[in-house]
């Protein structure tokens, strides 16, 4: 099956596109033919992803937004619509880690919930309105294995990611009849800026990864998540709706 043109003519809206999982997914959407709205708080990294897509012959625009702010989420969706006229596939992925050291530092807690959960809700509010008018679309939200278990992740991060899983199921029930297919991905440990600290203490970490990812004995790569997002966004997954898919090398076995 030739996947290269699977998304030709479609518009993808990818948040957190400046780094890690979001960047890899934006690049893969573009490689498979989509026009990509790359949304990120960090203007330089956002435009770097846009440049990489254009250099490879794809079409993309950068939208700088702080997705913890409802008005920025609305503006980002409007901006994509103004430039490209539609949103076929949304990937709500931008996120930050919580604080292990200060679990009840309320400023940190509010920040984590604002980016990791409320940002997804604010974006979905406007994406759903667009997709209802269009007659359909797909939305993938990035949760985490911390959205499925209390064993990993900081307190606020775990709460936010459980929220994303619940939100995804509830929204799938409500908006499925409008032709909007909604799912979540739950990455395990993936090698990105977010987990860079894990590169230290290699031997000790190898033992942990062996336990976390029995299939590989090492962390996953952003491409492992991007491939799953593209599949879930495609018509090949047309009967998959409302799931929270672990992509974790077996951690949640
Ligand atoms: N890396 C992992 O091991 C892992 C595991 C499970 C879940 N996740 C989730 O995957 C998603 C992507 O993480 P990653 O590992 O690629 O991290 P990353 O740090 O490499 O990328 C996150 C991106 O989100 C952007 N961002 C942060 N706050 C923002 C805001 N307020 N508005 C707009 N953009 C903002 C950052 O600028 C950055 O470009 C996150 O939701 C994260 O919780 C990651």
């Amino acid at each position: 099956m030739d996947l290269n043109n699977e998304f030709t003519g479609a518009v993808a809206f990818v948040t957190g596109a400046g780094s890690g999982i979001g960047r890899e997914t934006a690049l893969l959407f573009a490689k498979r033919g989509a026009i990509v709205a790359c949304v990120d708080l960090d203007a330089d990294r956002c435009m770097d992803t846009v440049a990489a897509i254009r250099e490879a012959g794809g079409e993309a625009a950068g939208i700088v937004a702080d997705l913890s702010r409802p008005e920025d989420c609305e503006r980002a969706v409007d901006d994509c619509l103004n430039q490209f006229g539609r949103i076929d596939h949304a990937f709500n992925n931008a996120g930050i880690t919580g604080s292990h050291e200060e679990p009840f530092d309320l400023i940190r807690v509010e920040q984590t919930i604002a980016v990791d959960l409320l940002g997804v809700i604010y974006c979905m509010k406007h994406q759903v309105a667009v997709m209802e008018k269009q007659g359909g679309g797909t939305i993938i939200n990035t949760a985490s294995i911390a959205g499925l278990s209390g064993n990993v992740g900081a307190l606020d991060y775990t709460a936010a990611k459980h929220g994303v899983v619940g939100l995804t199921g509830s929204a799938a029930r409500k908006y499925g009849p409008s032709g909007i297919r909604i799912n979540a991905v739950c990455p395990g440990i993936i090698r990105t800026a977010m987990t860079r600290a894990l590169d230290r203490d290699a031997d000790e970490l190898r033992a942990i990864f062996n336990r976390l990812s029995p299939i590989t004995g090492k962390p996953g790569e952003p491409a492992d998540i991007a491939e799953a997002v593209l599949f879930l966004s495609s018509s090949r997954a047309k009967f998959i709706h409302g799931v929270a898919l672990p992509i974790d090398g077996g951690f949640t076995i």
Side-chain angles (χ1 to χ4, degrees):
M1 184 182 209
D2 176 20
L3 298 179
N4 281 331
N5 294 313
E6 191 171 30
F7 291 94
T8 298
V11 176
F13 180 99
V14 177
T15 78
S19 177
I21 293 167
R23 177 182 164 93
E24 194 70 27
T25 306
L27 294 173
L28 193 58
F29 262 124
K31 192 176 166 195
R32 303 256 170 96
I35 298 164
V36 188
C38 298
V39 186
D40 205 287
L41 178 64
D42 186 309
D44 289 344
R45 288 197 298 214
C46 185
M47 292 319 294
D48 194 65
T49 302
V50 170
I53 289 174
R54 289 178 180 160
E55 270 163 34
E59 187 174 352
I63 299 173
V64 178
D66 178 352
L67 300 172
S68 68
R69 297 159 56 98
E71 61 273 25
D72 276 30
C73 296
E74 182 172 13
R75 180 178 52 76
V77 169
D78 283 351
D79 202 347
C80 179
L81 267 191
N82 290 336
Q83 295 195 58
F84 302 129
R86 53 190 297 116
I87 298 177
D88 298 288
H89 308 289
F91 180 39
N92 296 315
N93 162 79
I96 56 174
T97 53
S99 170
H100 283 278
E101 297 78 25
E102 301 284 352
F104 286 112
D105 175 335
L106 290 190
I107 292 176
R108 292 284 298 270
V109 168
E110 283 175 14
Q111 199 184 4
T112 305
I113 301 287
V115 179
D116 291 1
L117 177 58
L118 296 179
V120 179
I121 296 176
Y122 301 150
C123 282
M124 283 183 74
K125 172 181 174 183
H126 302 291
Q127 293 159 355
V128 156
V130 170
M131 289 177 183
E132 279 186 313
K133 273 195 204 140
Q134 287 172 185
T138 71
I139 299 176
I140 313 286
N141 298 324
T142 300
S144 166
I145 50 174
L148 302 171
S149 158
N151 274 335
V152 285
L155 180 153
D156 48 357
Y157 184 79
T158 301
K161 294 300 188 179
H162 272 70
V164 171
V165 170
L167 165 71
T168 300
S170 182
R173 174 178 289 274
K174 180 151 179 60
Y175 296 106
S178 305
I180 306 172
R181 211 159 46 73
I182 305 175
N183 291 292
V185 288
C186 298
I189 307 271
I190 307 298
R191 199 179 285 282
T192 68
M194 190 177 266
T195 52
R196 193 165 292 142
L198 297 175
D199 279 339
R200 283 177 268 141
D201 306 325
D203 284 343
E204 188 188 329
L205 283 167
R206 200 162 297 118
I208 296 172
F209 291 137
N210 264 322
R211 183 168 56 79
L212 294 184
S213 301
I215 199 168
T216 60
K218 56 185 183 185
E221 300 296 331
D224 296 324
I225 309 303
E227 287 288 356
V229 172
L230 270 278
F231 168 69
L232 288 173
S233 302
S234 77
S235 58
R236 287 177 290 143
K238 65 186 189 316
F239 204 51
I240 303 178
H241 183 51
V243 306
L245 179 70
I247 309 164
D248 61 357
F251 173 81
T252 46
I253 286 170

